[in-house]
Amino acid sequence: MKCRLIDSGANSAGYNMGLDESILTHISRGESSTTLRFYAWEPKAVSIGYFQNINDEVDIHLCKEKNVDVVRRVTGGGAVYHDMELTYSFITSQDNLPADVLESYKIICGGLVAGFGEFGVKAEFAPLNDVVTGGKKISGNAQTRRMGCVLQHGTILLSVDLQTMFSLLKISSEKIREKMIAAASERVTSLEKAIGRKVAYDEALKAFTDGFQKSMGLEYTRSQPSESEVKYALNLQNTKYISREWNFKR
Amino acid sequence: MKKEVTTKKAGGKLLRVKVDYTGDTINNVVLGGDFFMHPEEKIEELENSLKNTKVADVKKRVYEVVDGVVLYGVDADTIVESVLEAAK
């Protein structure tokens, strides 16, 4: 499959979500083509799933204090703390993927499994939307289908700071928080923990670029978002993704 | 009366139901959680369909709206059970 490969680097939560939606809209209109995008978050951010209530899930005041962005995604799933990670989005016409949502998750997550394999990490797809290694989650993913397109985005955890994560995500009491941190460290891992050394963004980018190529048979054209995509993304950032109306919608 | 019920079945995702009801009539429902629904906008249709609904009609309304909707991590039965639990 021919695929545009974009590394858009680190941007704010509102812009990151705006660009994902912008690329989907442009593909839907026939103005862009299948795209694999890698990115990071600056500042750090928490994203919540479409069906979540921001006040139920996130300590907004602490996020503001720590300069952590908060954004609602268009995709379902849970609250995610975006810090030391490589994030990806794969956006294509629905014609290019099975109609079955689970099957399409498996195909796209196959790219992640291959990417982890580049580091010698034996990972596997865990339905519906996780990639695990040694029984521990190392990637979470979320998909939406709209305007004749599929957008799947997800995290590749390079390292994980559970203390900060559990301070920003709402937990009902200290006792439960400590238990959850201990339990989470048994259920969640990172590339750094898996291979015993830090992995920088650029090294991870190369490995997962190769992984997706091998697993999904992608033929890349390296590119950047078009002027129209950037303009549309900025508009979405400003009118939707940083708006109270959107983020506090539910 | 307002009540919230949180459900998470084994192997599933979390469903949080907030119900505002008077007697046997549901005035308003908000459904939330970390599940997946395709298309996502069906959630609003589902909530609207349950507004000003008798408890006895909840199952029928939920099944009507989720017919053809793809759900992961939660199912129609769980939504019905949780809404009815919250409206007790």
Side-chain angles (χ1 to χ4, degrees):
Chain A
M1 190 192 307
K2 289 193 191 313
C3 181
R4 195 173 52 150
L5 177 66
I6 292 176
D7 169 20
S8 54
N11 284 286
S12 67
Y15 184 77
N16 279 335
M17 297 298 92
L19 187 51
D20 275 351
E21 186 175 334
S22 174
I23 292 171
L24 181 149
T25 303
H26 280 75
I27 292 175
S28 171
R29 290 177 185 166
E31 295 169 20
S32 288
S33 56
T34 296
T35 299
L36 175 63
R37 177 170 89 99
F38 290 101
Y39 56 101
W41 306 69
E42 178 54 45
K44 297 169 192 178
V46 171
S47 71
I48 62 167
Y50 181 82
F51 307 108
Q52 293 185 305
N53 173 295
I54 203 169
N55 283 311
D56 286 344
E57 305 298 334
V58 187
D59 187 332
I60 307 275
H61 298 294
L62 191 58
C63 283
K64 200 166 177 181
E65 214 177 282
K66 289 184 177 287
N67 191 33
V68 172
D69 264 350
V70 185
V71 72
R72 175 186 299 282
R73 302 189 302 270
V74 289
T75 50
V80 181
Y81 173 50
H82 301 281
D83 180 13
M84 295 166 282
E85 72 177 55
L86 175 68
T87 312
Y88 80 94
S89 58
F90 181 75
I91 310 164
T92 190
S93 162
Q94 285 193 22
D95 295 338
N96 294 327
L97 286 167
D100 184 81
V101 171
L102 179 58
E103 279 303 306
S104 64
Y105 265 112
K106 190 174 178 182
I107 289 169
I108 300 169
C109 288
L112 298 169
V113 169
F116 285 114
E118 295 287 311
F119 289 98
V121 173
K122 194 168 177 332
E124 57 184 347
F125 170 59
L128 167 71
N129 60 319
D130 288 346
V131 173
V132 300
T133 180
K136 296 185 184 184
K137 179 174 170 176
I138 198 168
S139 167
N141 305 275
Q143 188 183 115
T144 184
R145 288 168 174 243
R146 54 187 64 228
M147 300 169 72
C149 292
V150 176
L151 154 64
Q152 179 168 318
H153 50 202
T155 60
I156 296 156
L157 293 172
L158 302 182
S159 187
V160 63
D161 175 0
L162 290 174
Q163 291 281 353
T164 302
M165 185 172 94
F166 279 103
S167 73
L168 297 173
L169 302 181
K170 274 195 175 169
I171 312 293
S172 53
S173 76
E174 274 312 308
K175 282 188 183 172
I176 296 174
R177 179 178 282 112
E178 287 309 318
K179 272 193 187 165
M180 286 186 76
I181 290 171
S185 66
E186 296 299 311
R187 292 184 294 109
V188 174
T189 190
S190 66
L191 197 43
E192 180 181 352
K193 282 204 171 136
I195 66 172
R197 65 171 177 87
K198 282 192 186 305
V199 177
Y201 178 91
D202 288 341
E203 185 186 357
L205 174 63
K206 166 111 184 38
F208 283 90
T209 298
D210 291 346
F212 271 96
Q213 182 173 49
K214 287 173 188 172
S215 177
M216 295 182 69
L218 301 177
E219 297 168 35
Y220 291 134
T221 302
R222 288 178 187 272
S223 184
Q224 283 298 320
S226 68
E227 197 177 316
S228 177
E229 283 172 327
V230 169
K231 192 174 170 185
Y232 199 84
L234 286 167
N235 188 52
L236 283 170
Q237 171 194 264
N238 296 332
T239 61
K240 179 174 176 177
Y241 288 108
I242 63 171
S243 75
R244 190 170 176 83
E245 189 188 344
W246 168 257
N247 288 313
F248 288 81
K249 184 178 162 77
R250 308 187 47 74
Chain B
M1 181 91 110
K2 290 181 181 180
K3 197 165 149 196
E4 180 176 323
V5 163
T6 301
T7 309
K8 187 180 183 318
K9 294 198 170 166
K13 301 284 189 185
L14 188 137
L15 171 66
R16 206 190 301 268
V17 173
K18 297 175 187 177
V19 170
D20 179 342
Y21 66 99
T22 307
D24 68 346
T25 302
I26 289 170
N27 305 318
N28 196 48
V29 171
V30 179
L31 304 166
D34 59 357
F35 53 86
F36 292 89
M37 180 182 283
H38 301 279
E40 286 83 3
E41 289 76 18
K42 279 287 183 180
I43 195 85
E44 279 90 22
E45 188 180 323
L46 184 51
E47 289 166 341
N48 287 334
S49 79
L50 293 173
K51 273 185 187 171
N52 305 316
T53 296
K54 294 284 183 196
V55 163
D57 293 330
V58 164
K59 185 172 180 175
K60 180 168 168 275
R61 294 279 174 98
V62 169
Y63 270 89
E64 271 169 2
V65 174
V66 304
D67 183 39
V69 171
V70 176
L71 288 167
Y72 283 102
V74 74
D75 57 27
D77 282 343
T78 306
I79 294 171
V80 170
E81 285 163 18
S82 300
V83 170
L84 294 179
E85 179 64 32
K88 267 187 190 169

